[in-house]
């Protein structure tokens, strides 16, 4: 397992000014700058108002944490898009169930619609499993937040020997 990288501020090796500047520049290039703006969703969500509402709500709810950076933009956008798709599928399922219960349809038509309901239900269930996976990775579930807290605590513990307690 590779050793964890040290921040230039915590390095004890004697470096020249050029080495220190090069290291600081390298760190800045891989450190995400700024948190995501709730009012500026990515262009991939442009036509999906429901996904844009999810984007805004999630980022406003997580504003105190400053958890999501520009590197998380695509993942969060994909999650919001999947939430929107889930809503559309659930709405369609409700409409199909109402259609099956409609007495105006013949028996064969009701069976055909019921088959569509089964297929759509299976897709909705697969999407919900995927949503839970993304939610955990993004820290949007209790277990996901606990995992993030453990990681943060281990990083803080790692630096305690450098700064003292």
């Amino acid at each position: 397992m590779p050793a964890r990288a040290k921040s230039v501020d915590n390095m004890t090796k004697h470096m020249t000014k050029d080495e220190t500047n090069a290291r600081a520049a390298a760190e800045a290039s891989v450190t995400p700058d700024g948190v995501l703006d709730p009012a500026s969703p990515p262009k991939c969500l442009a036509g999906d108002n429901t996904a844009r509402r999810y984007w805004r709500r999630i980022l406003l709810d997580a504003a105190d944490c400053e958890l999501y950076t520009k590197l998380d933009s695509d993942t969060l956008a994909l999650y919001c898009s999947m939430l929107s798709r889930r809503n559309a599928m659930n709405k369609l399922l409700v409409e199909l169930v109402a259609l099956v219960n409609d007495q105006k349809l013949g028996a064969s038509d009701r069976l055909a619609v019921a088959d569509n309901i089964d297929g759509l239900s299976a897709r909705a269930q697969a999407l919900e499993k995927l949503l839970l996976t993304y939610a955990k990775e993004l820290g949007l579930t209790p277990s996901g937040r606990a995992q993030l807290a453990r990681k943060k605590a281990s990083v803080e513990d790692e630096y305690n020997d450098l700064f003292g307690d």
Side-chain angles (χ1 to χ4, degrees):
M1 192 162 172
R4 290 184 184 261
K6 288 185 179 180
S7 168
V8 72
D9 297 329
N10 300 326
M11 296 185 81
T12 56
K13 175 186 166 198
H14 297 286
M15 295 189 295
T16 66
K17 196 174 240 182
D18 289 337
E19 288 174 326
T20 303
N21 291 339
R23 177 64 186 234
E27 285 179 16
S29 71
V30 296
T31 303
D33 55 329
V35 294
L36 293 175
D37 182 12
S40 301
K43 291 179 182 177
C44 63
L45 299 180
D48 191 346
N49 289 333
T50 303
R52 291 169 65 90
R53 280 193 299 273
Y54 278 118
W55 172 274
R56 181 173 163 70
R57 193 196 78 213
I58 290 168
L59 289 178
L60 287 174
D61 288 348
D64 294 342
C65 304
E66 294 183 353
L67 185 61
Y68 304 113
T69 64
K70 290 180 181 178
L71 289 175
D72 304 311
S73 176
D74 290 338
T75 305
L76 186 59
L78 178 61
Y79 178 72
C80 293
S81 179
M82 290 185 336
L83 285 171
S84 175
R85 208 170 321 137
R86 182 210 49 198
N87 289 359
M89 289 175 88
N90 286 342
K91 182 178 178 183
L92 183 58
L93 278 168
V94 168
E95 291 172 2
L96 288 175
V97 167
L99 194 59
V100 166
N101 292 333
D102 187 2
Q103 296 301 319
K104 296 176 186 173
L105 290 178
S108 62
D109 290 335
R110 281 204 300 269
L111 285 175
V113 173
D115 287 342
N116 286 332
I117 289 172
D118 291 341
L120 192 57
S121 293
R123 284 183 156 178
Q125 188 174 18
L127 181 61
E128 287 169 351
K129 283 183 181 180
L130 195 56
L131 277 166
L132 285 174
T133 302
Y134 273 86
K136 184 175 179 182
E137 288 296 318
L138 290 166
L140 298 172
T141 64
S143 62
R145 285 189 299 278
Q147 190 174 28
L148 288 173
R150 275 192 304 275
K151 285 180 184 177
K152 185 176 181 182
S154 70
V155 168
E156 289 172 358
D157 290 344
E158 176 183 339
Y159 294 122
N160 280 343
D161 64 334
L162 296 174
F163 302 116
D165 284 333

